Amino acid sequence: MRGLTWAGTGRRGPLATGLLAGMLGLTLSGCAGFLVPAGEGEPEPTPSDPYRVHADKLPTPFPSVSVGVSGRPGAQGSAPTPTVPAGCPSSGVVVGMGEVEAALGHRAVGLTLTNCGSKPYRVHGYPSVRALDEAGDPLPVPVNPGSSYMGSDPGPKEIMLKPGATVRSLLAWVSTPTGGDLIEGDALAVAPAPGLEPRTFPLEGSDVRLLDELNMTAWR
């Protein structure tokens, strides 16, 4: 770079010398950033922890709830209570009953057990069924696990019921007046298992309200 000179003198004056020093200083300061190695003076990045970053994606333990003839679900200790949708029982499972079908004096109706909660449930055994009178009191109608004229019972099998999944059972009885001593029932109380809260389903029509004994298959 050629220096600034006073006209006609050929010598650098004080003003030219000051301007030159300032320009050199700006030039060197502007280049200094490019001479520093990348990352020098900055804290080193902390390695990511995949288990910490994706902790929300790791599987969490769920309470195993037995639904069967053995009784109530086992104690859960300090495990958190599963969150269930509105209208779903605290047990996390709900029962249903279809329409009664008839065949040669025999009656049968399908029962369902659906996991309406957010956690898997272990199902093993038979539903709990009671015949009720018009006042809602239990009637002395025998309830037997096993096969019937309307369907065979392969026996209980342990099933891990996922949220939204359903298992089924077949409930059957005889409604022929000549079949023996019959009791007239007004409703059926059905629960997933003994000890769990039942739902009541009315029996519509006189041809299905006569009961001798109830036979049910296992949840399958």
Side-chain angles (χ1 to χ4, degrees):
M1 172 181 282
R2 297 179 59 186
L4 297 177
T5 61
W6 293 104
T9 65
R11 293 181 301 162
R12 295 190 180 98
L15 177 60
T17 303
L19 291 174
L20 179 59
M23 293 176 64
L24 289 174
L26 290 174
T27 303
L28 292 176
S29 64
C31 294
F34 296 99
L35 300 177
V36 177
E40 184 174 318
E42 301 178 0
E44 295 185 1
T46 303
S48 61
D49 183 353
Y51 292 98
R52 176 176 58 81
V53 175
H54 304 289
D56 58 330
K57 298 181 180 180
L58 296 177
T60 55
F62 55 82
S64 177
V65 178
S66 299
V67 178
V69 295
S70 58
R72 293 181 180 272
Q76 301 304 316
S78 59
T81 302
T83 301
V84 296
C88 183
S90 59
S91 63
V93 287
V94 61
V95 292
M97 189 175 86
E99 296 183 0
V100 179
E101 303 291 339
L104 300 175
H106 295 266
R107 304 290 182 262
V109 64
L111 306 178
T112 59
L113 172 63
T114 302
N115 183 351
C116 57
S118 59
K119 302 292 182 180
Y121 285 89
R122 183 166 55 88
V123 180
H124 185 265
Y126 294 81
S128 174
V129 181
R130 294 295 300 271
L132 307 177
D133 62 16
E134 59 182 357
D137 296 323
L139 292 170
V141 176
V143 181
N144 308 313
S147 302
S148 66
Y149 176 84
M150 300 295 282
S152 60
D153 177 31
K157 178 181 179 181
E158 183 172 306
I159 301 170
M160 189 62 70
L161 194 63
K162 298 180 180 180
T166 299
V167 289
R168 292 171 172 80
S169 172
L170 183 68
L171 183 68
W173 64 93
V174 175
S175 288
T176 304
T178 57
D181 296 332
L182 302 180
I183 298 177
E184 186 172 2
D186 286 83
L188 295 176
V190 182
L196 296 182
E197 183 178 357
R199 289 184 65 189
T200 301
F201 301 92
L203 291 174
E204 304 291 345
S206 58
D207 60 330
V208 302
R209 295 171 61 185
L210 295 176
L211 313 169
D212 62 340
E213 62 181 15
L214 301 174
N215 295 279
M216 57 186 177
T217 62
W219 292 120
R220 295 297 290 263

